[in-house]
Amino acid sequence: MKPELFTYLDYRHYLKDLFEALKKGDEGLSYRMFAKMAGSSSPNFLQLIIQRKLNIGQSHIRALAESIVLSKKEEGFLETIVAFDHAKTHEEKNKYYRRMLLTREYSSIRQLQKEQYSYFSKWYLPVIRELVVASDFTGNMTALGDRIVPPVSASKVKKGIALLESLGLIQKDPDRYILSNAVLSTPSEVISLAVTHYHKDVIALAAEAIEKFPAQDRDIRAVTLGVDADGFLEVKQRLERFWKELLEFADTQKTPTRVVQVNMQLFPLTKDKEFKA
């Protein structure tokens, strides 16, 4: 019995599981025979793909789809997860992941993953989470949305609150919302994709803040440093300590009156053969 294709995000895992499933039904199946099914003359075709030393091509997808009798929808989904894996940029990966979410079978199987992706990929959801648990929240979605900069519509606020509840990130206790300590867990490919999207959005918001807010309402600085490999690691460790201290400080704020965003970016401005960031 073939594995359920629509449960996979990584086509390499799918091909590995497919081979093992087919071999259970035919003990004589070899790697060479599987390669021929995919239209390849290389006997170690599958091993190289699993080891990420080779990418499957379009002709292989068509040949394999015919050999194992995939439906048109299944073949199209296989093409999409292959394209997702091979994508070089965040924009490409995002495009193919959204295409996966539009596939009804995948979306229904991975509903929680879809919701988690939505949380990470919308910059205003963490803001809504902070505002909705504030003591002055009366349930007015429009008023809450208007407090956010830039403003968010009441419909997005309502959907955001419902999403936060479904993920267990907020809960009613009993007449007001409170924060919970739920941890989101989803495949690392999706987390990195959505978090990249989130960081790009909040960095863009930081750029807009230079013009939008007076100096007394913001603190935006930049410094260019010259460091060696050990110095680079030391900077990262100092930033980690600062983040920890900042989060501990935030826990002492019992009656916050505003939500702020703190961004810090550390990245190379020169190439260096000695170390990689």
Side-chain angles (χ1 to χ4, degrees):
M1 184 176 178
K2 293 182 298 186
E4 175 55 66
L5 175 58
F6 294 110
T7 65
Y8 287 83
L9 182 66
D10 188 326
Y11 81 89
R12 299 175 198 273
H13 292 166
Y14 171 71
L15 295 182
K16 178 177 180 292
D17 291 348
L18 174 64
F19 175 78
E20 292 174 354
L22 293 176
K23 192 168 179 62
K24 284 182 179 178
D26 179 5
E27 294 184 359
L29 181 69
S30 65
Y31 285 118
R32 184 185 295 273
M33 293 170 63
F34 186 87
K36 286 184 178 180
M37 291 169 61
S40 173
S41 58
S42 173
N44 60 343
F45 170 78
L46 180 59
Q47 294 99 314
L48 291 174
I49 287 178
I50 292 172
Q51 295 166 7
R52 297 191 174 273
K53 295 180 180 178
L54 180 70
N55 291 335
I56 194 171
Q58 188 65 38
S59 62
H60 301 133
I61 295 174
R62 286 196 297 267
L64 188 62
E66 184 175 343
S67 296
I68 63 174
V69 195
L70 291 180
S71 68
K72 285 296 182 183
K73 179 171 281 191
E74 288 173 323
E75 183 178 351
F77 187 78
L78 180 57
E79 290 175 348
T80 300
I81 62 176
V82 167
F84 176 79
D85 181 270
H86 296 175
K88 302 297 184 183
T89 66
H90 167 74
E91 286 74 16
E92 283 184 292
K93 278 194 173 290
N94 200 47
K95 178 179 75 172
Y96 291 118
Y97 186 69
R98 288 185 179 278
R99 188 175 296 177
M100 288 181 228
L101 294 180
L102 291 175
T103 306
R104 181 175 57 81
E105 291 83 352
Y106 180 84
S107 182
S108 61
I109 291 169
R110 297 293 188 117
Q111 183 60 38
L112 182 59
Q113 180 177 306
K114 178 181 177 181
E115 291 174 347
Q116 292 169 339
Y117 173 79
S118 296
Y119 175 76
F120 282 116
S121 63
K122 291 181 174 60
W123 65 267
Y124 54 81
L125 286 173
V127 185
I128 292 175
R129 187 187 184 209
E130 294 295 329
L131 289 177
V132 80
V133 300
S135 58
D136 60 350
F137 176 60
T138 63
N140 188 322
M141 307 294 178
T142 301
L144 188 149
D146 286 344
R147 285 192 63 188
I148 300 173
V149 183
V152 174
S153 69
S155 62
K156 286 183 178 179
V157 171
K158 186 175 181 180
K159 289 178 182 177
I161 292 174
L163 175 61
L164 293 169
E165 280 194 278
S166 70
L167 291 174
L169 295 174
I170 58 173
Q171 61 189 49
K172 276 283 187 69
D173 182 43
D175 300 320
R176 59 183 296 267
Y177 288 103
I178 62 171
L179 292 176
S180 70
N181 294 319
V183 177
L184 296 182
S185 176
T186 197
S188 59
E189 301 98 321
V190 177
I191 288 180
S192 61
L193 176 64
V195 169
T196 298
H197 190 89
Y198 171 79
H199 283 305
K200 291 180 74 172
D201 280 348
V202 295
I203 289 171
L205 289 173
E208 294 172 6
I210 296 175
E211 300 291 339
K212 190 172 292 183
F213 299 103
Q216 64 267 26
D217 286 340
R218 57 176 167 80
D219 190 319
I220 297 176
R221 328 174 179 215
V223 60
T224 304
L225 307 174
V227 296
D228 58 19
D230 290 337
F232 179 81
L233 294 176
E234 173 65 21
V235 172
K236 292 192 72 171
Q237 289 168 2
R238 289 184 180 221
L239 290 176
E240 285 289 341
R241 289 196 295 270
F242 174 73
W243 281 120
K244 183 179 179 181
E245 292 173 3
L246 194 61
L247 291 172
E248 289 173 350
F249 168 74
D251 284 340
T252 69
Q253 302 294 289
K254 302 305 180 184
T255 55
T257 58
R258 63 165 58 177
V259 178
V260 299
Q261 180 74 27
V262 182
N263 295 345
M264 285 192 292
Q265 293 85 39
L266 169 66
F267 54 90
L269 291 173
T270 59
K271 295 179 180 179
D272 193 325
K273 294 180 180 179
E274 184 181 354
F275 71 103
K276 295 181 180 179

